[in-house]
Amino acid sequence: SQTIHQWPATLVQPVGSPLSLECTVEGTSNPNLYWYRQAAGRGLQLLFYSVGIGQISSEVPQNLSASRPQDRQFILSSKKLLLSDSGFYLCAWSVRRADTQYFGPGTRLTVL
Amino acid sequence: AQKVTQAQTEISVVEKEDVTLDCVYETRDTTYYLFWYKQPPSGELVFLIRRNSFDEQNEISGRYSWNFQKSTSSFNFTITASQVVDSAVYFCALSEAGSGYALNFGKGTSLLVTP
Protein backbone atom coordinates (compact mmCIF):
# COMPACT_ATOMS: atom_id res chain seq x y z
CA SER A 1 0.00 0.00 0.00
CA GLN A 2 1.03 3.57 -0.49
CA THR A 3 2.12 5.87 2.31
CA ILE A 4 3.12 9.50 2.35
CA HIS A 5 5.48 11.04 4.88
CA GLN A 6 6.21 14.63 5.77
CA TRP A 7 8.79 16.13 8.07
CA PRO A 8 9.23 17.86 10.24
CA ALA A 9 5.82 17.72 11.90
CA THR A 10 6.22 21.14 13.47
CA LEU A 11 8.68 23.95 12.91
CA VAL A 12 9.24 27.37 14.45
CA GLN A 13 11.48 29.63 12.44
CA PRO A 14 12.49 33.29 12.66
CA VAL A 15 11.65 35.74 9.91
CA GLY A 16 14.33 35.76 7.24
CA SER A 17 15.54 32.23 7.89
CA PRO A 18 15.56 29.51 5.21
CA LEU A 19 13.05 26.69 4.99
CA SER A 20 13.11 23.13 3.77
CA LEU A 21 10.12 20.81 4.11
CA GLU A 22 10.29 17.30 2.78
CA CYS A 23 7.66 14.92 1.48
CA THR A 24 8.20 11.34 0.37
CA VAL A 25 5.81 8.76 -1.02
CA GLU A 26 6.22 5.00 -0.75
CA GLY A 27 4.58 2.20 -2.65
CA THR A 28 4.01 3.89 -6.00
CA SER A 29 6.01 5.05 -8.98
CA ASN A 30 5.88 8.34 -10.86
CA PRO A 31 3.17 9.90 -8.73
CA ASN A 32 1.79 13.38 -9.23
CA LEU A 33 2.87 15.39 -6.19
CA TYR A 34 1.35 18.52 -4.67
CA TRP A 35 2.10 21.13 -2.01
CA TYR A 36 -0.80 22.92 -0.33
CA ARG A 37 -0.88 25.57 2.36
CA GLN A 38 -3.66 25.97 4.85
CA ALA A 39 -3.56 29.33 6.59
CA ALA A 40 -5.70 30.37 9.54
CA GLY A 41 -9.32 30.32 8.45
CA ARG A 42 -9.01 26.84 6.95
CA GLY A 43 -8.76 27.62 3.23
CA LEU A 44 -6.55 25.22 1.28
CA GLN A 45 -4.37 26.76 -1.39
CA LEU A 46 -2.44 24.79 -3.98
CA LEU A 47 1.15 26.04 -4.13
CA PHE A 48 2.97 23.66 -6.47
CA TYR A 49 2.45 20.42 -8.30
CA SER A 50 4.77 18.08 -10.12
CA VAL A 51 4.09 15.40 -12.72
CA GLY A 52 7.66 14.09 -12.78
CA ILE A 53 11.29 14.56 -11.72
CA GLY A 54 12.37 18.15 -12.24
CA GLN A 55 8.91 19.21 -13.47
CA ILE A 56 7.35 21.82 -11.22
CA SER A 57 4.33 24.01 -11.83
CA SER A 58 3.70 26.99 -9.60
CA GLU A 59 0.15 28.05 -8.87
CA VAL A 60 0.82 31.12 -6.76
CA PRO A 61 3.75 33.59 -7.06
CA GLN A 62 5.52 33.89 -3.72
CA ASN A 63 8.87 33.49 -2.02
CA LEU A 64 8.51 29.71 -1.88
CA SER A 65 9.93 27.22 -4.34
CA ALA A 66 9.61 23.50 -4.87
CA SER A 67 11.89 20.82 -6.22
CA ARG A 68 11.55 17.16 -7.08
CA PRO A 69 15.03 15.65 -7.05
CA GLN A 70 13.78 12.05 -7.02
CA ASP A 71 10.67 10.31 -8.28
CA ARG A 72 9.00 10.09 -4.88
CA GLN A 73 10.50 13.09 -3.13
CA PHE A 74 9.07 16.59 -3.12
CA ILE A 75 10.72 19.49 -1.31
CA LEU A 76 9.32 22.89 -0.43
CA SER A 77 11.89 25.61 0.18
CA SER A 78 12.35 29.24 0.92
CA LYS A 79 15.49 31.36 1.12
CA LYS A 80 13.94 33.91 3.49
CA LEU A 81 10.75 33.26 5.41
CA LEU A 82 8.09 35.91 5.89
CA LEU A 83 5.56 36.15 8.69
CA SER A 84 2.86 35.40 6.14
CA ASP A 85 4.46 32.01 5.41
CA SER A 86 3.10 30.67 8.69
CA GLY A 87 0.55 27.92 8.20
CA PHE A 88 -0.07 24.24 7.83
CA TYR A 89 1.68 22.71 4.82
CA LEU A 90 0.26 19.59 3.30
CA CYS A 91 1.80 17.33 0.70
CA ALA A 92 -0.39 15.09 -1.44
CA TRP A 93 0.01 12.52 -4.18
CA SER A 94 -2.16 11.04 -6.91
CA VAL A 95 -1.66 8.48 -9.66
CA ARG A 96 -2.83 10.87 -12.35
CA ARG A 97 -3.87 14.49 -12.30
CA ALA A 98 -7.59 13.67 -12.34
CA ASP A 99 -7.35 10.99 -9.68
CA THR A 100 -7.97 11.21 -5.96
CA GLN A 101 -5.30 13.08 -4.05
CA TYR A 102 -4.09 11.50 -0.82
CA PHE A 103 -2.61 13.77 1.81
CA GLY A 104 0.28 13.48 4.22
CA PRO A 105 0.17 14.35 7.92
CA GLY A 106 1.29 17.93 7.34
CA THR A 107 3.88 20.32 8.76
CA ARG A 108 2.81 23.14 11.03
CA LEU A 109 5.10 26.12 10.40
CA THR A 110 5.22 29.16 12.65
CA VAL A 111 7.30 32.11 11.56
CA LEU A 112 8.12 34.54 14.38
CA ALA B 1 -15.23 33.51 -7.68
CA GLN B 2 -15.75 30.71 -5.22
CA LYS B 3 -16.38 27.52 -7.15
CA VAL B 4 -17.29 25.43 -4.13
CA THR B 5 -19.55 26.89 -1.47
CA GLN B 6 -20.02 25.34 1.92
CA ALA B 7 -22.48 27.73 3.46
CA GLN B 8 -22.39 26.16 6.92
CA THR B 9 -19.30 27.38 8.74
CA GLU B 10 -19.98 25.52 11.97
CA ILE B 11 -22.51 22.90 13.02
CA SER B 12 -23.04 21.55 16.49
CA VAL B 13 -25.13 18.43 17.16
CA VAL B 14 -25.68 16.02 19.98
CA GLU B 15 -24.49 12.46 19.56
CA LYS B 16 -26.86 10.18 17.61
CA GLU B 17 -28.40 13.07 15.71
CA ASP B 18 -28.29 13.00 11.91
CA VAL B 19 -26.49 15.90 10.26
CA THR B 20 -26.21 17.06 6.65
CA LEU B 21 -23.31 19.11 5.35
CA ASP B 22 -24.13 21.14 2.27
CA CYS B 23 -21.91 21.64 -0.76
CA VAL B 24 -22.80 23.66 -3.85
CA TYR B 25 -20.41 23.85 -6.78
CA GLU B 26 -20.09 25.86 -9.95
CA THR B 27 -18.63 24.62 -13.22
CA ARG B 28 -19.13 24.84 -16.95
CA ASP B 29 -17.28 21.62 -17.65
CA THR B 30 -19.19 18.47 -18.45
CA THR B 31 -16.37 16.36 -17.02
CA TYR B 32 -15.59 17.01 -13.39
CA TYR B 33 -15.11 15.27 -10.07
CA LEU B 34 -16.42 16.02 -6.62
CA PHE B 35 -14.76 15.03 -3.36
CA TRP B 36 -15.29 15.09 0.37
CA TYR B 37 -12.39 15.12 2.81
CA LYS B 38 -12.37 15.00 6.60
CA GLN B 39 -9.82 16.95 8.65
CA PRO B 40 -9.74 15.79 12.28
CA PRO B 41 -7.92 17.87 14.92
CA SER B 42 -4.66 16.12 14.03
CA GLY B 43 -4.73 18.03 10.74
CA GLU B 44 -4.35 15.30 8.15
CA LEU B 45 -6.88 15.40 5.33
CA VAL B 46 -8.65 12.07 5.06
CA PHE B 47 -10.28 11.16 1.75
CA LEU B 48 -13.92 10.12 2.04
CA ILE B 49 -15.41 9.95 -1.44
CA ARG B 50 -14.88 10.82 -5.11
CA ARG B 51 -17.77 11.12 -7.53
CA ASN B 52 -17.54 11.83 -11.26
CA SER B 53 -19.98 14.05 -13.13
CA PHE B 54 -21.46 11.16 -15.09
CA ASP B 55 -22.51 9.19 -12.07
CA GLU B 56 -25.39 10.74 -10.13
CA GLN B 57 -26.07 7.63 -8.14
CA ASN B 58 -26.15 8.31 -4.44
CA GLU B 59 -23.72 6.43 -2.27
CA ILE B 60 -23.88 4.99 1.21
CA SER B 61 -20.93 3.85 3.26
CA GLY B 62 -21.88 2.81 6.76
CA ARG B 63 -23.22 5.88 8.55
CA TYR B 64 -22.11 8.16 5.71
CA SER B 65 -24.19 8.95 2.64
CA TRP B 66 -23.81 11.36 -0.24
CA ASN B 67 -26.50 12.96 -2.40
CA PHE B 68 -25.27 14.20 -5.77
CA GLN B 69 -27.77 16.33 -7.72
CA LYS B 70 -26.56 17.92 -10.94
CA SER B 71 -29.85 19.81 -11.34
CA THR B 72 -29.01 21.87 -8.25
CA SER B 73 -25.20 21.56 -8.50
CA SER B 74 -25.07 20.08 -5.05
CA PHE B 75 -23.15 17.26 -3.44
CA ASN B 76 -24.40 16.99 0.12
CA PHE B 77 -23.00 14.75 2.82
CA THR B 78 -25.11 13.17 5.57
CA ILE B 79 -23.86 11.50 8.72
CA THR B 80 -26.46 9.28 10.34
CA ALA B 81 -26.40 8.72 14.09
CA SER B 82 -23.43 11.02 14.58
CA GLN B 83 -20.66 10.11 17.01
CA VAL B 84 -18.11 12.18 18.89
CA VAL B 85 -15.39 10.82 16.60
CA ASP B 86 -17.14 12.52 13.69
CA SER B 87 -16.08 15.90 15.08
CA ALA B 88 -13.83 17.44 12.43
CA VAL B 89 -13.72 19.97 9.63
CA TYR B 90 -15.20 18.61 6.42
CA PHE B 91 -14.16 19.90 3.02
CA CYS B 92 -15.95 19.56 -0.28
CA ALA B 93 -13.78 19.93 -3.38
CA LEU B 94 -14.18 20.13 -7.14
CA SER B 95 -11.76 19.24 -9.92
CA GLU B 96 -12.57 20.18 -13.49
CA ALA B 97 -11.12 19.17 -16.82
CA GLY B 98 -10.87 22.82 -17.83
CA SER B 99 -8.62 23.62 -14.84
CA GLY B 100 -6.29 20.69 -15.33
CA TYR B 101 -8.09 18.85 -12.55
CA ALA B 102 -6.69 21.10 -9.83
CA LEU B 103 -8.53 20.53 -6.57
CA ASN B 104 -10.68 23.54 -5.69
CA PHE B 105 -11.72 23.35 -2.04
CA GLY B 106 -14.62 24.92 -0.23
CA LYS B 107 -13.90 26.75 3.01
CA GLY B 108 -14.97 23.78 5.09
CA THR B 109 -17.65 23.05 7.67
CA SER B 110 -16.61 22.50 11.25
CA LEU B 111 -18.73 19.78 12.85
CA LEU B 112 -18.84 19.38 16.60
CA VAL B 113 -20.59 16.33 18.01
CA THR B 114 -21.14 16.45 21.76
CA PRO B 115 -22.05 13.53 24.03
Coordinates of all heavy atoms in Angstrom, one line a residue, chain A residues 59-90:
Chain A
E59 N 1.5 27.5 -8.8 CA 0.2 28.0 -8.9 C 0.0 29.5 -8.3 O -0.8 30.2 -8.7 CB -0.8 27.1 -8.1 CG -1.0 25.8 -8.7 CD -1.7 25.8 -10.0 OE1 -2.8 26.4 -10.1 OE2 -1.1 25.3 -11.0
V60 N 0.9 29.8 -7.4 CA 0.8 31.1 -6.8 C 2.2 31.7 -6.7 O 3.1 31.1 -6.1 CB 0.2 31.0 -5.4 CG1 0.1 32.4 -4.7 CG2 -1.1 30.3 -5.4
P61 N 2.4 32.9 -7.2 CA 3.7 33.6 -7.1 C 4.0 34.0 -5.6 O 3.2 34.5 -5.0 CB 3.6 34.8 -7.9 CG 2.2 35.1 -8.0 CD 1.5 33.8 -7.9
Q62 N 5.2 33.6 -5.1 CA 5.5 33.9 -3.7 C 7.0 33.6 -3.5 O 7.7 33.3 -4.5 CB 4.7 33.0 -2.8 CG 5.0 31.5 -3.1 CD 3.7 30.7 -3.0 OE1 2.9 30.9 -2.2 NE2 3.5 29.8 -3.9
N63 N 7.5 33.7 -2.3 CA 8.9 33.5 -2.0 C 9.2 32.0 -1.7 O 10.2 31.7 -1.2 CB 9.3 34.4 -0.9 CG 8.7 33.9 0.5 OD1 7.5 33.6 0.5 ND2 9.5 33.9 1.5
L64 N 8.3 31.1 -2.1 CA 8.5 29.7 -1.9 C 8.9 29.1 -3.2 O 8.5 29.6 -4.3 CB 7.3 29.0 -1.3 CG 6.8 29.5 0.0 CD1 5.4 28.9 0.3 CD2 7.8 29.2 1.1
S65 N 9.6 28.0 -3.1 CA 9.9 27.2 -4.3 C 9.8 25.7 -4.0 O 9.8 25.3 -2.9 CB 11.3 27.6 -4.8 OG 12.3 27.2 -3.9
A66 N 9.7 24.9 -5.1 CA 9.6 23.5 -4.9 C 10.6 22.8 -5.8 O 10.9 23.3 -6.9 CB 8.2 23.0 -5.1
S67 N 11.0 21.6 -5.4 CA 11.9 20.8 -6.2 C 11.5 19.4 -6.1 O 11.0 18.9 -5.1 CB 13.4 21.0 -5.8 OG 13.6 20.6 -4.5
R68 N 11.8 18.6 -7.1 CA 11.6 17.2 -7.1 C 12.8 16.5 -7.6 O 13.0 16.2 -8.8 CB 10.4 16.8 -8.0 CG 10.0 15.3 -7.9 CD 8.6 15.1 -8.6 NE 8.3 13.7 -8.6 CZ 7.1 13.3 -9.1 NH1 6.2 14.1 -9.5 NH2 6.9 12.0 -9.1
P69 N 13.8 16.2 -6.7 CA 15.0 15.7 -7.0 C 15.0 14.1 -7.4 O 15.8 13.6 -8.1 CB 15.9 15.9 -5.8 CG 15.0 16.0 -4.7 CD 13.7 16.6 -5.2
Q70 N 14.0 13.5 -6.8 CA 13.8 12.1 -7.0 C 12.3 11.8 -7.3 O 11.5 12.6 -7.0 CB 14.2 11.2 -5.8 CG 15.7 11.4 -5.5 CD 16.1 10.6 -4.3 OE1 15.6 9.4 -4.1 NE2 16.9 11.1 -3.4
D71 N 12.0 10.6 -7.8 CA 10.7 10.3 -8.3 C 9.6 10.5 -7.2 O 8.5 11.0 -7.4 CB 10.6 8.9 -8.8 CG 9.3 8.5 -9.3 OD1 8.6 9.3 -10.0 OD2 8.8 7.4 -9.0
R72 N 10.0 10.1 -5.9 CA 9.0 10.1 -4.9 C 9.4 11.1 -3.8 O 8.9 10.9 -2.6 CB 8.9 8.7 -4.3 CG 8.1 7.7 -5.3 CD 8.2 6.3 -4.9 NE 9.6 5.8 -5.1 CZ 9.9 4.5 -4.9 NH1 9.1 3.7 -4.3 NH2 11.2 4.1 -5.1
Q73 N 10.1 12.1 -4.1 CA 10.5 13.1 -3.1 C 10.1 14.5 -3.6 O 10.5 14.8 -4.8 CB 12.0 13.0 -2.9 CG 12.5 13.9 -1.8 CD 14.0 13.9 -1.7 OE1 14.7 13.6 -2.7 NE2 14.6 14.1 -0.5
F74 N 9.5 15.2 -2.8 CA 9.1 16.6 -3.1 C 9.5 17.5 -2.0 O 9.2 17.3 -0.8 CB 7.5 16.6 -3.3 CG 7.0 17.7 -4.2 CD1 7.8 18.3 -5.2 CD2 5.7 18.0 -4.1 CE1 7.3 19.3 -6.0 CE2 5.1 19.0 -5.0 CZ 5.9 19.6 -5.9
I75 N 10.2 18.6 -2.3 CA 10.7 19.5 -1.3 C 10.2 20.9 -1.5 O 10.1 21.4 -2.6 CB 12.3 19.5 -1.4 CG1 12.8 18.1 -1.0 CG2 12.8 20.5 -0.4 CD1 14.3 17.9 -1.2
L76 N 9.8 21.5 -0.4 CA 9.3 22.9 -0.4 C 10.4 23.7 0.3 O 10.8 23.4 1.4 CB 8.0 23.0 0.3 CG 7.3 24.4 0.3 CD1 6.9 24.8 -1.1 CD2 6.2 24.4 1.3
S77 N 10.8 24.8 -0.4 CA 11.9 25.6 0.2 C 11.6 27.1 0.2 O 10.7 27.6 -0.6 CB 13.2 25.4 -0.6 OG 13.5 24.0 -0.7
S78 N 12.4 27.8 1.0 CA 12.4 29.2 0.9 C 13.7 29.7 1.3 O 14.4 29.1 2.2 CB 11.3 29.8 1.8 OG 11.4 31.3 1.9
K79 N 14.2 30.8 0.7 CA 15.5 31.4 1.1 C 15.3 32.3 2.3 O 16.2 32.4 3.2 CB 16.1 32.1 -0.1 CG 16.5 31.2 -1.2 CD 17.2 32.0 -2.3 CE 17.6 31.1 -3.5 NZ 18.2 31.9 -4.6
K80 N 14.2 33.0 2.4 CA 13.9 33.9 3.5 C 12.5 33.9 3.8 O 11.6 34.4 3.1 CB 14.3 35.3 3.1 CG 15.8 35.6 3.0 CD 16.1 37.1 2.8 CE 17.6 37.3 2.8 NZ 17.9 38.8 2.6
L81 N 12.1 33.4 5.0 CA 10.8 33.3 5.4 C 10.2 34.6 5.8 O 10.8 35.5 6.3 CB 10.6 32.3 6.6 CG 10.7 30.8 6.3 CD1 10.9 30.0 7.6 CD2 9.5 30.4 5.5
L82 N 8.9 34.8 5.5 CA 8.1 35.9 5.9 C 7.1 35.5 7.0 O 6.7 34.3 7.1 CB 7.3 36.5 4.7 CG 8.1 36.8 3.4 CD1 7.2 37.2 2.3 CD2 9.1 37.9 3.7
L83 N 6.6 36.5 7.7 CA 5.6 36.1 8.7 C 4.4 35.5 8.0 O 3.8 34.5 8.6 CB 5.1 37.4 9.4 CG 6.0 38.0 10.4 CD1 5.5 39.3 11.0 CD2 6.3 37.0 11.6
S84 N 4.0 35.9 6.8 CA 2.9 35.4 6.1 C 3.0 34.0 5.6 O 2.1 33.4 5.1 CB 2.5 36.3 4.9 OG 3.7 36.4 4.1
D85 N 4.2 33.4 5.8 CA 4.5 32.0 5.4 C 4.0 31.0 6.5 O 4.0 29.8 6.3 CB 5.9 31.8 5.1 CG 6.4 32.5 3.9 OD1 5.6 32.6 2.9 OD2 7.6 33.0 3.9
S86 N 3.6 31.5 7.6 CA 3.1 30.7 8.7 C 1.9 29.9 8.2 O 1.0 30.5 7.5 CB 2.7 31.5 9.9 OG 3.9 32.0 10.5
G87 N 1.7 28.7 8.6 CA 0.6 27.9 8.2 C 0.8 26.4 8.3 O 1.8 26.0 8.8
F88 N -0.1 25.7 7.8 CA -0.1 24.2 7.8 C 0.2 23.8 6.4 O -0.6 24.1 5.5 CB -1.4 23.7 8.4 CG -1.4 22.2 8.7 CD1 -0.4 21.7 9.4 CD2 -2.4 21.4 8.2 CE1 -0.4 20.3 9.7 CE2 -2.4 20.1 8.5 CZ -1.4 19.5 9.2
Y89 N 1.3 23.1 6.2 CA 1.7 22.7 4.8 C 1.4 21.2 4.6 O 1.9 20.4 5.4 CB 3.2 23.0 4.6 CG 3.4 24.5 4.5 CD1 3.5 25.3 5.6 CD2 3.5 25.1 3.2 CE1 3.7 26.7 5.5 CE2 3.7 26.5 3.1 CZ 3.8 27.2 4.2 OH 4.0 28.6 4.1
L90 N 0.7 21.0 3.6 CA 0.3 19.6 3.3 C 0.8 19.1 2.0 O 0.7 19.9 1.0 CB -1.3 19.5 3.3 CG -2.0 19.6 4.6 CD1 -3.4 20.0 4.5 CD2 -1.9 18.2 5.3

